[in-house]
Amino acid sequence: MIKHYLKYSYQILRKDKLFTLLNILGFAIGITVCSLIAFYILYEYSFDTLNKNYDRIYTVYSNADRACATTPFVFGTTIKNKIPGIQKSVQVLDGLWVLPGIVINNKILKIDNCYSADPELLDIFSFEYLSGSKIIFASKINSVLISQNTAVKYLKKDEQAVGKPIKIYMGGLKLNLKIAGIFKDAPGNSHLRPNIIIQIDNIKKLIPPKELNNWNSSAPTTYVLLTNPSVKSRVEQQINKLVPVNNSGYHLLPLADQHLRASNISFLIGKKGDINKIYIYLIIGFFTLLIACINYINFNTAKSAMRAKEIGIRKIAGANRWTLIKQLAAEPLILSCAAIPIVVALLALTLPYADSIFDRDIQATLFTNWNYFFALLALILLTGVLSGIYSAVLITVYKPLDLIRNQMNLKTSKSYFRNSLLFIQIVIFSGLIMSSLIIYRQMQLIKKIDIGYNKYCTLVTTFPGPPYYDQFKTFVKELKNYPGILNGTIASVVPPSEKDVIRMIGSSPSTKKAFCYSYIECDENYKDVIGLTLTEGRFISDASADNEIVINEKLEKDQRLKHAAGKYIDIFGKKLVVGVVKNFYMNSLYEPIEPLFMAKGKNISSYLALRLNPKDLSGGINLFKNKWKQFFPNLICDYFFIDEEFDNKYKDDQYFGTLIGTFSIVASLIAVIGLIGLTTYIISKKKKEIAIRKVLGASVFNIVYVLTKETLIITLFGCLVAALISNYFMEIWLRRFAEKISITPDIFIIGFCITLLITISSVALLAVKAALGNQMDSLRNE
Amino acid sequence: MIKVVDLKKIFRTDEIETTALDGINMEIKQGEFVSIMGPSGCGKSTLMNILGLLDNPESGEYHFLDQEVSKYTERQKAQLRKENIGFVFQSFNLIDELTVYENVELPLLYLKMSSSERKKKVEEALERIQMMHRKNHFPQQLSGGQQQRVAVARAIVCNPKLILADEPTGNLDSTHGDEVMKMLTELHEGGTTIIMVTHSPTYAEYGSRTVHLFDGKIVTENFSGVFHL
């Protein structure tokens, strides 16, 4: 019997090649998109699960002003061995001040993910050793562990590297260390991905003891390994009892939440995920699967309706309903199986692209876990067969005689059902088109918006803080002698920077109203290098007194001042406002412009910005690099450009836009395939009607109108609902931007036109063909 | 074998009620060959469909093989049908995608028979209609008469006790029509009960009895020929 089913199904599928091909293709595309999203979501949820202590590891974060995952050095020693619920604790520093480097053949090469940590790190987190051991590492302060990749990339050797000396620059100082072991690189789905691990005591030696005991300075991240997850809240209470009162407010973040549910906590080590993104992808994935399944159901229902006579004959020949359902489900099964190689091929083609869109290394992790593939196989077969069974159940409900005479009522419930499926498809893909139009406009706005400074041709580098201030001042002076470099400045922060902006909280002495102002420490060249516009007074000068400040318009407004230049204001002591600059976006466009003031100083500066001559950019860069080597042979030369950094800030949203755009194309494609299938079916059912109309004198246009009318109405209503839904969700998305477009009706009109063009063009072509064709045969058959 | 008592069937739409069968009383014994005649719309096919358990009567009794079957469930009817009744239609109703052999095999598939047994029975049936040489052809490759012969082979392959033929010669020319009638006569001679709807008085003569229907009622019954018991 099974042989009969399969053979017969194969013949049926072969007979209608186009129909079969469209069906398989639509299904395969839908499943591919869905699996890509599923892979991404599984990947995001798999973060850190490889750690054997996964459920007992917690990150300490403070939540006094805003959530922050750094702790004072003294915190580590304070809690060590004093809280019964904590089995082990470790403090980890990801670099210090400037990018770490490794010395190879007297050259310093920059290396990221260079961690300094207590030896307990290796007991708490799971690392796999290829050679050497953590015992040697723990016993000697000058020992270092390196990853396999680092060993191969920098030392050009693998396991033999153990015991060899290595020089590492960190925090501006050189450390002579010995390799104690090599560990396997942590997979992409691990938040800690060290290339090098050195003992944190090396770093502590560089820091004055006063700082090490200072409860107000924060640097390393502290992880704790609890004896049991249930003791968490007790441990939190105990921690807060041990630390000084004004520093209390420490909490424990479970490792399981670190990747996806900690977007509000800053300074967490490693790549951060976003649970909201997961939800968005989940919705998109669900919709794509829904569209694909709807197609599949539509195709199969149409197909089985075309075979009503055959099913009737089988019923008369003695087939019961269940037997027929089994037979009709054999076809989708064959189709699903045929879709498998296509899905695999599409996945192979799209995975590298998906990796770059998602900014993840899914491809590499995929092949380590076969569960992904079993899940994929199950998804294909289940969706295929379930959608198939659904249409089989629909058709077999009829009595054999009705089937033979093809007397299933097309105008009734079934066509409502099919139309509602079409409606859902149109809502989804039209909604996606409208949303991508909105995202596109917003991204265009970001490009055009007046950010208040000149982001072009500005090179930025960082240096290890105040000890180097004077040297860097001399460095800038030297560079300015060359035509490639127009100007240079040293400051505590340059835009667009989020993490290094200092926010000072105070209250007005007269009104007692609290305020929070951003503060930039800079020199007299800051305005010219960054390209700020002065609206009143002058900028701070070399000769400025310590209490002279320059404020932005926002602060001027906040203090309810008019023509503030030359006036004294009382913020953090009496200050003389010497000038006002036009508002500029210190951070990204996600955040509104904050009231801000600038003052001269060299206490916290660690940024150097150079305005290069646009006519000789590469000359300027080369000069900078050469002079750097000359001035700071022991410091790594690492720099970026403000405009690149600015664009990076919106990378996520640009990816998001690309993604929504891609999905709207895919969804439209699948829907078009479905529409073609559906129209072919409807036309085959209406052959007689078309013939009669033609006999009675209908023009081609009349017939095309009759055939496309329904689709037209559904498209119209579909777009209306899509507009409402996308308007709702895009309003939410736009809330993240301080400067945003207003959603105007023309977006929806354009979206409607695109949708209409897609649906009508796929339907009208077939309708015209049907109207022009010879339908008389269908009358002759009567 | 068949006994119907006061059988009624009414078709309803939103506005119109049409009485297709209006109190039919009839008995058909095993081995009879009954022809049913009457003008279009008199209820011939409706009667055939009810007798073939493809449709339900509005009221009345239907005894098939001494069982009252009018209240049977769809499943019970399907079971009874596949074991006892073979159908021949005016428009052949062969499945285009299946070969002659496969079309004839179809009813056996649903009887859960072993493949060797199926093969034997299909070949027997094809031999009987002299279509063995065409067993791998598809229906479209055959003439109308040949297609109807295949349909007859399909109807007899399970050795049914009853064959219902709804205008089996309606789509055929006289030569092919005669061929099909000859086959039905042979089957009748072999002991199969046959009920046939026809418009042709000549073909109706093949039956042992002719029932005339008009407006859903039996108007006359003529006996002719011999019973084959």
Side-chain angles (χ1 to χ4, degrees):
Chain A
M1 191 69 123
I2 291 171
K3 198 178 133 203
H4 172 81
Y5 289 161
L6 294 178
K7 192 180 159 202
Y8 181 72
S9 304
Y10 172 70
Q11 272 171 2
I12 284 279
L13 294 174
R14 229 183 64 165
K15 196 177 156 199
D16 244 332
K17 287 196 190 77
L18 178 73
F19 213 78
T20 308
L21 191 75
L22 288 178
N23 200 358
I24 295 181
L25 208 64
F27 183 65
I29 295 174
I31 291 284
T32 308
V33 171
C34 241
S35 5
L36 284 177
I37 292 176
F39 286 160
Y40 168 71
I41 293 175
L42 286 175
Y43 183 85
E44 289 295 90
Y45 273 99
S46 73
F47 255 77
D48 294 317
T49 46
L50 287 176
N51 280 302
K52 61 178 193 294
N53 298 325
Y54 177 68
D55 57 334
R56 292 194 291 136
I57 301 174
Y58 292 81
T59 312
V60 179
Y61 69 96
S62 63
N63 206 359
D65 175 21
R66 59 178 184 167
C68 185
T70 52
T71 50
F73 281 103
V74 62
F75 181 88
T77 43
T78 307
I79 63 160
K80 200 158 225 161
N81 303 327
K82 292 200 185 100
I83 296 170
I86 298 177
Q87 191 178 326
K88 273 180 187 347
S89 66
V90 60
Q91 288 201 308
V92 184
L93 262 179
D94 177 13
L96 187 68
W97 296 316
V98 284
L99 207 64
I102 182 167
V103 186
I104 305 291
N105 300 334
N106 293 325
K107 267 196 215 153
I108 307 176
L109 305 173
K110 62 177 174 181
I111 181 163
D112 49 9
N113 294 343
C114 190
Y115 296 169
S116 41
D118 297 311
E120 282 85 354
L121 178 79
L122 311 167
D123 302 325
I124 296 176
F125 291 93
S126 312
F127 290 97
E128 200 182 315
Y129 297 94
L130 296 169
S131 63
S133 77
K134 61 179 178 184
I135 301 157
I136 308 170
F137 174 75
S139 60
K140 289 180 182 149
I141 185 169
N142 67 340
S143 58
V144 61
L145 290 174
I146 61 173
S147 72
Q148 188 183 14
N149 185 27
T150 312
V152 175
K153 191 171 159 195
Y154 294 96
L155 308 173
K156 308 278 180 248
K157 48 185 130 182
D158 208 335
E159 275 132 57
Q160 299 90 352
V162 175
K164 299 269 163 22
I166 185 170
K167 280 182 198 165
I168 288 171
Y169 274 90
M170 214 167 175
L173 288 151
K174 188 163 78 178
L175 301 165
N176 287 310
L177 305 164
K178 205 178 238 181
I179 299 172
I182 295 170
F183 56 88
K184 211 170 159 185
D185 288 85
N189 55 354
S190 162
H191 87 278
L192 286 179
R193 299 190 70 192
N195 282 320
I196 287 178
I197 306 172
I198 65 168
Q199 282 213 24
I200 201 163
D201 287 346
N202 286 301
I203 300 295
K204 283 185 182 172
K205 281 198 290 188
L206 311 174
I207 298 166
K210 206 182 97 194
E211 274 301 302
L212 286 177
N213 291 315
N214 183 358
W215 275 96
N216 292 324
S217 83
S218 265
T221 301
T222 307
Y223 295 95
V224 294
L225 176 69
L226 300 188
T227 48
N228 194 313
S230 61
V231 300
K232 181 190 166 231
S233 52
R234 213 173 57 222
V235 168
E236 277 176 342
Q237 282 172 10
Q238 283 168 319
I239 289 175
N240 289 318
K241 264 186 216 158
L242 274 177
V243 303
V245 179
N246 55 339
N247 283 84
S248 58
Y250 285 105
H251 302 272
L252 298 182
L253 173 75
L255 195 55
D257 290 350
Q258 163 129 9
H259 185 61
L260 289 174
R261 290 186 197 82
S263 54
N264 58 328
I265 302 175
S266 45
F267 302 120
L268 279 167
I269 296 178
K271 224 172 237 177
K272 249 195 213 178
D274 184 353
I275 192 79
N276 290 324
K277 242 190 202 172
I278 299 268
Y279 292 144
I280 290 173
Y281 290 140
L282 212 57
I283 293 170
I284 292 177
F286 172 75
F287 279 155
T288 319
L289 192 65
L290 191 67
I291 291 190
C293 284
I294 287 175
N295 261 4
Y296 212 60
I297 291 174
N298 266 344
F299 265 113
N300 286 315
T301 319
K303 184 94 193 174
S304 43
M306 284 185 204
R307 288 164 51 189
K309 183 182 135 192
E310 176 222 322
I311 295 162
I313 295 171
R314 284 181 187 274
K315 272 198 157 183
I316 289 171
N320 62 33
R321 200 171 167 204
W322 177 233
T323 323
L324 283 172
I325 290 176
K326 275 194 287 185
Q327 186 211 325
L328 289 172
E331 270 163 56
L333 189 70
I334 294 179
L335 283 183
S336 308
C337 290
I340 294 172
I342 302 178
V343 171
V344 171
L346 285 176
L347 276 179
L349 281 174
T350 50
L351 259 175
Y353 179 64
D355 266 0
S356 79
I357 283 196
F358 291 132
D359 192 21
R360 291 286 183 273
D361 191 17
I362 301 167
Q363 218 177 162
T365 334
L366 205 58
F367 295 99
T368 59
N369 193 347
W370 288 103
N371 284 346
Y372 286 110
F373 288 98
F374 288 126
L376 175 63
L377 204 67
L379 181 74
I380 295 178
L381 295 182
L382 256 176
T383 4
V385 173
L386 283 182
S387 325
I389 285 179
Y390 180 80
S391 51
V393 168
L394 274 188
I395 189 82
T396 49
V397 78
Y398 290 102
K399 285 185 180 163
L401 273 181
D402 295 336
L403 289 165
I404 287 197
R405 294 181 194 144
N406 230 339
Q407 274 181 347
M408 300 158 300
N409 210 342
L410 270 176
K411 275 278 164 207
T412 52
S413 60
K414 213 127 293 135
S415 77
Y416 283 134
F417 174 73
R418 227 182 358 256
N419 286 343
S420 9
L421 291 185
L422 180 64
F423 175 76
I424 296 171
Q425 281 188 321
I426 288 178
V427 170
I428 296 170
F429 85 83
S430 165
L432 283 170
I433 289 175
M434 289 167 182
S435 306
S436 35
L437 283 174
I438 294 170
I439 296 172
Y440 176 76
R441 282 216 181 156
Q442 176 63 23
M443 294 331 269
Q444 289 304 106
L445 175 84
I446 286 177
K447 279 184 190 151
K448 280 185 217 144
I449 210 162
D450 178 14
I451 49 172
Y453 60 91
N454 183 356
K455 64 178 177 179
Y456 300 103
C457 304
T458 318
L459 180 149
V460 179
T461 183
T462 53
F463 61 89
Y468 280 81
Y469 187 89
D470 292 329
Q471 284 182 52
F472 269 81
K473 204 74 190 163
T474 325
F475 179 54
V476 172
K477 208 177 268 173
E478 167 70 17
L479 287 174
K480 276 162 77 175
N481 293 331
Y482 297 88
I485 287 158
L486 302 175
N487 206 344
T489 181
I490 292 177
S492 61
V493 65
V494 294
S497 175
E498 217 154 347
K499 63 171 191 176
D500 291 311
V501 177
I502 291 176
R503 290 184 181 83
M504 295 178 74
I505 299 169
S507 63
S508 155
S510 51
T511 61
K512 300 283 174 222
K513 210 184 111 199
F515 54 74
C516 174
Y517 295 154
S518 301
Y519 166 57
I520 300 175
E521 181 190 86
C522 60
D523 62 16
E524 66 281 2
N525 296 322
Y526 194 76
K527 174 185 84 79
D528 294 334
V529 174
I530 305 300
L532 304 178
T533 316
L534 209 58
T535 54
E536 287 172 42
R538 61 171 173 86
F539 201 73
I540 45 176
S541 69
D542 199 21
S544 279
D546 284 346
N547 69 340
E548 285 184 9
I549 59 167
V550 171
I551 61 173
N552 69 352
E553 291 170 326
K554 176 85 182 181
L555 196 147
E556 187 182 35
K557 201 173 157 199
D558 199 68
Q559 286 281 330
R560 298 207 179 83
L561 294 170
K562 272 181 190 159
H563 310 297
K567 290 181 182 160
Y568 280 92
I569 56 171
D570 201 349
I571 49 169
F572 317 106
K574 267 220 160 358
K575 298 278 170 13
L576 171 66
V577 180
V578 293
V580 180
V581 291
K582 203 174 101 180
N583 285 335
F584 64 99
Y585 283 93
M586 191 61 221
N587 301 326
S588 60
L589 297 184
Y590 297 127
E591 280 163 65
I593 290 172
E594 291 172 1
L596 166 151
F597 69 99
M598 293 171 262
K600 205 175 79 171
K602 51 180 187 177
N603 297 320
I604 50 170
S605 293
S606 63
Y607 278 86
L608 163 73
L610 297 171
R611 174 148 297 276
L612 305 184
N613 189 342
K615 285 176 194 148
D616 186 20
L617 262 185
S618 57
I621 297 168
N622 284 334
L623 178 75
F624 162 75
K625 282 202 226 164
N626 292 334
K627 287 283 167 195
W628 178 286
K629 267 184 218 155
Q630 208 178 313
F631 271 72
F632 315 106
N634 291 344
L635 287 184
I636 296 171
C637 178
D638 186 47
Y639 60 91
F640 62 87
F641 281 89
I642 287 184
D643 54 346
E644 284 169 9
E645 189 67 10
F646 184 84
D647 290 343
N648 269 342
K649 293 251 167 197
Y650 306 100
K651 212 165 81 182
D652 258 17
D653 278 303
Q654 246 146 12
Y655 280 146
F656 181 64
T658 319
L659 213 70
I660 297 283
T662 314
F663 283 131
S664 55
I665 292 171
V666 172
S668 315
L669 195 70
I670 303 175
V672 164
I673 290 175
L675 263 175
I676 292 176
L678 200 64
T679 316
T680 317
Y681 164 69
I682 291 171
I683 288 173
S684 80
K685 284 274 123 192
K686 288 191 172 175
K687 264 186 179 165
K688 189 175 140 196
E689 183 188 328
I690 298 171
I692 294 170
R693 281 178 192 273
K694 270 184 112 172
V695 170
L696 297 178
S699 68
V700 172
F701 177 78
N702 292 144
I703 292 169
V704 171
Y705 173 71
V706 168
L707 290 173
T708 52
K709 186 178 66 186
E710 227 171 45
T711 316
L712 206 73
I713 296 171
I714 296 172
T715 309
L716 194 71
F717 281 102
C719 285
L720 207 66
V721 174
L724 293 174
I725 296 176
S726 68
N727 183 44
Y728 175 77
F729 282 106
M730 283 296 109
E731 285 280 8
I732 295 176
W733 179 73
L734 283 173
R735 265 182 225 157
R736 54 204 267 123
F737 295 95
E739 282 292 326
K740 51 188 167 247
I741 55 158
S742 51
I743 301 178
T744 45
D746 62 314
I747 291 175
F748 299 120
I749 293 168
I750 297 171
F752 169 69
C753 291
I754 297 174
T755 313
L756 198 67
L757 195 75
I758 292 171
T759 49
I760 293 302
S761 58
S762 44
V763 170
L765 274 179
L766 288 168
V768 170
K769 201 178 143 207
L772 290 174
N774 182 10
Q775 305 295 346
M776 291 305 127
D777 291 342
S778 48
L779 279 189
R780 219 168 285 146
N781 276 343
E782 280 295 303
Chain B
M1 184 181 199
I2 287 174
K3 187 180 173 192
V4 292
V5 182
D6 199 22
L7 201 69
K8 281 191 180 157
K9 178 76 185 175
I10 299 165
F11 289 109
R12 291 189 177 85
T13 61
D14 290 344
E15 291 151 13
I16 312 161
E17 264 191 14
T18 318
T19 309
L21 296 178
D22 192 6
I24 301 277
N25 291 295
M26 185 164 81
E27 196 169 346
I28 296 169
K29 299 214 162 49
Q30 189 138 12
E32 262 195 286
F33 186 156
V34 178
S35 305
I36 300 176
M37 290 189 75
S40 289
C42 71
K44 303 184 297 285
S45 294
T46 310
L47 180 61
M48 285 291 267
N49 292 334
I50 293 175
L51 294 181
L53 300 169
L54 294 172
D55 206 349
N56 300 324
E58 184 80 20
S59 64
E61 293 169 18
Y62 175 24
H63 299 269
F64 182 71
L65 295 174
D66 300 326
Q67 301 170 61
E68 161 59 21
V69 294
S70 59
K71 301 285 181 300
Y72 267 28
T73 62
E74 215 38 66
R75 186 180 279 268
Q76 285 172 311
K77 282 197 270 188
Q79 190 62 31
L80 211 56
R81 206 160 55 211
K82 72 178 169 188
E83 283 166 2
N84 299 294
I85 308 174
F87 291 88
V88 181
F89 300 93
Q90 179 181 2
S91 53
F92 325 137
N93 280 337
L94 297 175
I95 298 180
D96 294 340
E97 289 80 16
L98 297 181
T99 61
V100 165
Y101 182 95
E102 289 164 338
N103 263 297
V104 176
E105 190 191 20
L106 202 59
L108 301 177
L109 281 173
Y110 300 116
L111 285 176
K112 297 203 167 58
M113 216 172 257
S114 75
S115 74
S116 57
E117 209 175 332
R118 282 205 307 264
K119 190 168 182 248
K120 202 174 126 221
K121 281 193 178 268
V122 173
E123 283 174 356
E124 260 174 35
L126 287 175
E127 293 283 4
R128 211 158 151 190
I129 59 159
Q130 291 160 17
M131 288 289 285
M132 198 54 195
H133 61 296
R134 296 283 177 124
K135 68 171 184 177
N136 291 325
H137 284 62
F138 284 95
Q140 310 91 290
Q141 297 168 312
L142 305 176
S143 72
Q146 285 172 323
Q147 286 191 45
Q148 193 60 301
R149 271 156 63 194
V150 175
V152 172
R154 184 180 63 189
I156 60 170
V157 73
C158 318
N159 296 325
K161 295 188 180 76
L162 172 67
I163 285 185
L164 295 172
D166 194 350
E167 293 192 44
T169 55
N171 279 5
L172 302 175
D173 58 37
S174 63
T175 323
H176 287 123
D178 291 348
E179 238 173 56
V180 169
M181 283 317 295
K182 205 175 133 217
M183 280 174 55
L184 288 178
T185 315
E186 279 168 22
L187 286 172
H188 176 227
E189 283 166 3
T192 313
T193 312
I194 296 175
I195 304 174
M196 176 183 76
V197 165
T198 182
H199 278 295
S200 154
T202 323
Y203 291 145
E205 291 285 309
Y206 283 76
S208 47
R209 167 156 63 121
T210 306
V211 175
H212 289 270
L213 284 186
F214 188 76
D215 279 354
K217 289 179 183 152
I218 295 178
V219 282
T220 52
E221 281 191 63
N222 306 328
F223 288 89
S224 67
V226 203
F227 279 74
H228 294 274
L229 292 167

